[in-house]
Amino acid sequence: MPQVSIIMPCHNGAATIADSIRSVQNQTFTDWELFVVNDNSSDGSVKIVEDFAAKDGRIKLLHTKKSTGLPATPRNVGIEAATGRYIAFLDCDD
């Protein structure tokens, strides 16, 4: 079980999501899992996350059932999947 579960909502974040994921990977603390929750993006966000997840097993891609346009629903999807002792939130453009 990881110490920290990081929840990252994403809706059309292709321009910034790679930097956001790398910011998590570059932390000195490594006991984490990252759930990127796609809110029905229509840009290349999903492909970018899939590429990261294929190389780093701590990164997982989840999806909302329908586009909400709000971060609350993707965050709740991530919380349901989280297994860490602590939960942290990070937006895909941070």
Side-chain angles (χ1 to χ4, degrees), residues 14-76:
T16 57
I17 195 160
D19 288 337
S20 295
I21 293 171
R22 278 193 290 272
S23 76
V24 174
Q25 290 177 314
N26 290 334
Q27 298 299 310
T28 56
F29 183 82
T30 60
D31 190 14
W32 52 263
E33 63 184 353
L34 171 62
F35 291 99
V36 180
V37 186
N38 174 45
D39 191 25
N40 291 278
S41 296
S42 59
D43 63 358
S45 301
V46 170
K47 174 72 170 118
I48 293 167
V49 177
E50 287 173 341
D51 290 347
F52 274 96
K55 296 173 187 165
D56 189 335
R58 299 172 297 177
I59 300 170
K60 296 160 183 72
L61 177 63
L62 304 174
H63 302 274
T64 58
K65 292 181 181 176
K66 63 179 183 173
S67 182
T68 64
L70 301 170
T73 299
R75 284 182 182 147
N76 287 335

